[in-house]
Structures are given as structure tokens and as C-alpha cells.
Amino acid sequence: MKQVHIKNKIFAFSLIIFVLFNLSCRQNNASHYFKNGSAKYQLKNYKSALTDLDQAIELENDYIDAYYVRALCYGNLKKYDKAENDFNKVIELNPDYKDAYINRGFYVLEKKGDFQAAINDYNKYLDLNKNGDNAFAFNNRGYAKYKLNDFAGAMNDIQESIHSNPDNSFVYKNRALIYISLDSINLACQDLEQANKLGFSEEYGPKVNDLITEFCSQD
């Protein structure tokens, strides 16, 4: 009987080793696919990145960073429902994953026109990032407030963003939009020119030049 008992122990121990080894292999493979997918995301090869990130999640279904990067890929591909599902999964796995809130607001809720929900996400991000760089969050929250016609609140946030990062071309474009709504065209045109000096057109396209043509060109 002792010999059988010992054999059973050896078998159980071997089974545990086998399970742990396979789990380790799956995790290593998941990490490999995640790294590949993240690298492709950085290169803006979003569709190819999705293939790797799908594999990572299939191997490790609570791989929170893989869900997060996959959400960013979906957002850039304008697949907003899928992006939202992945951002929601990240927040379900870790309610304090701050970047999921700011990017769900930007990539999903703003694009769907739900600006109040976007503001709620930016508020949550700011609560979780009190000591961090919040220029991007203030800029986005200011834009969302502008879309809801809260021009005073929008201006406060935009000014805070400029104070934190005066070299962001996008924030001057957003402040110009507020000035246009307030019929302060001269101030709007100054901001549009500043946005272009900081490289808005090269990075984001013709929006600022279109506004300059509409509001600032001399007859």
C-alpha cells in the first residue's frame, strides 16, 4: 500500500509540473504575441496588430494590456463598438486603469457624440492622475464642454491645458473654436496662426487652414 501511495504522489506532482509548465508556455506565447502586436500598433499597422493581440487574448483571456492595445487599434480603425467593449473589459479587470478612461472618452464616446459620457471619463482619469501630466485630458474635456456649449467651462480647461503644455498645436485650434463661438474672431485667428506655427497642418490635416480661410482671410 505504501508503494501505491508513493506512486500516486509522484503522479500528482508530475501532473502539477505538467500543468504549470503548459501554463508558463501559454503565458510566454501570449507575451510574445502581445509584444508583436504592440510593435505593430506603434507602426500604425493596426489590422496586423489585431491578429497578434487576438492570439495573446486567446492564450490568456485576462491579458489586460492586450485588451487595452487592441482597443486602441479598434479606435484607430473606427470600429467604435469593438473598441468600447475592450476598454470596458480593461476597466472591469482593473477599475483604476486610468488610460482606459481617457482613451475610451477620446476614441469612442466623443466619436459617438456622447460628450457628457466623455467628460465623465475625463473626470475619472483626472481623479486617478492627480500628480501626472494632464494637458491632454484638459484639452479633451475642454473640447467636450465646447461641444455641449459650456464655453466658460471649456475655456477654463483649455487654458489649463495650454498652461501645462504650450507647444500642443491642437489645443490652440480648440481654443479658436471657442473664440469663434463667442464671436471673438481676432483672438480666434491668432490661435489658428499659432496652431499652424506649431505644426497642426502637417500632423492633423487641413482643418486649421480651412478655418483661417473661412474666418481670417482678408477680402
Side-chain angles (χ1 to χ4, degrees):
M1 292 294 293
K2 285 184 178 179
Q3 187 176 8
V4 173
H5 184 63
I6 291 171
K7 286 182 178 179
N8 286 340
K9 279 189 172 181
I10 292 172
F11 174 77
F13 180 74
S14 299
L15 182 61
I16 291 170
I17 294 298
F18 176 79
V19 170
L20 290 175
F21 175 76
N22 278 276
L23 179 59
S24 177
C25 287
R26 288 175 65 84
Q27 289 173 336
N28 287 338
N29 286 335
S31 178
H32 168 75
Y33 283 116
F34 171 70
K35 289 176 182 177
N36 282 347
S38 295
K40 291 174 181 177
Y41 165 75
Q42 292 294 333
L43 295 171
K44 300 184 179 181
N45 192 354
Y46 304 122
K47 290 183 179 179
S48 183
L50 287 175
T51 301
D52 286 304
L53 296 167
D54 287 345
Q55 285 291 330
I57 290 167
E58 183 176 340
L59 290 166
E60 191 176 336
N61 63 9
D62 60 351
Y63 202 146
I64 188 168
D65 290 332
Y67 282 108
Y68 174 71
V69 178
R70 192 172 72 172
L72 296 176
C73 289
Y74 282 136
N76 279 284
L77 292 169
K78 300 181 181 181
K79 296 183 177 182
Y80 302 128
D81 289 336
K82 289 185 175 182
E84 186 169 21
N85 288 339
D86 276 355
F87 283 129
N88 291 347
K89 181 67 175 180
V90 172
I91 292 167
E92 175 190 323
L93 291 169
N94 179 6
D96 292 333
Y97 200 115
K98 59 187 179 183
D99 287 346
Y101 292 99
I102 191 170
N103 283 305
R104 185 174 65 177
F106 178 73
Y107 280 106
V108 177
L109 299 174
E110 279 194 23
K111 303 306 185 291
K112 289 185 169 184
D114 194 347
F115 293 102
Q116 185 56 59
I119 288 170
N120 294 340
D121 268 4
Y122 299 143
N123 289 342
K124 182 66 175 178
Y125 175 85
L126 288 165
D127 285 342
L128 293 170
N129 197 51
K130 286 185 172 64
N131 298 318
D133 179 2
N134 288 315
F136 185 64
F138 280 116
N139 174 62
N140 283 15
R141 193 174 71 174
Y143 177 76
K145 289 179 178 179
Y146 155 77
K147 295 296 289 186
L148 294 176
N149 296 323
D150 176 9
F151 301 130
M155 185 63 77
N156 287 337
D157 278 348
I158 294 297
Q159 300 284 47
E160 184 66 35
S161 181
I162 291 173
H163 177 74
S164 299
N165 180 10
D167 297 323
N168 177 12
S169 65
F170 212 95
V171 74
Y172 292 97
K173 185 271 292 182
N174 285 344
R175 190 169 67 174
L177 292 175
I178 300 169
Y179 281 136
I180 289 169
S181 296
L182 297 173
D183 203 28
S184 298
I185 303 303
N186 287 338
L187 292 174
C189 292
Q190 291 175 28
D191 272 354
L192 293 171
E193 293 294 344
Q194 181 65 14
N196 260 351
K197 286 181 182 177
L198 292 171
F200 183 96
S201 296
E202 291 81 0
E203 189 168 359
Y204 300 111
K207 177 64 176 178
V208 161
N209 284 330
D210 291 343
L211 289 169
I212 289 173
T213 298
E214 182 175 358
F215 293 99
C216 309
S217 296
Q218 298 295 320
D219 294 331

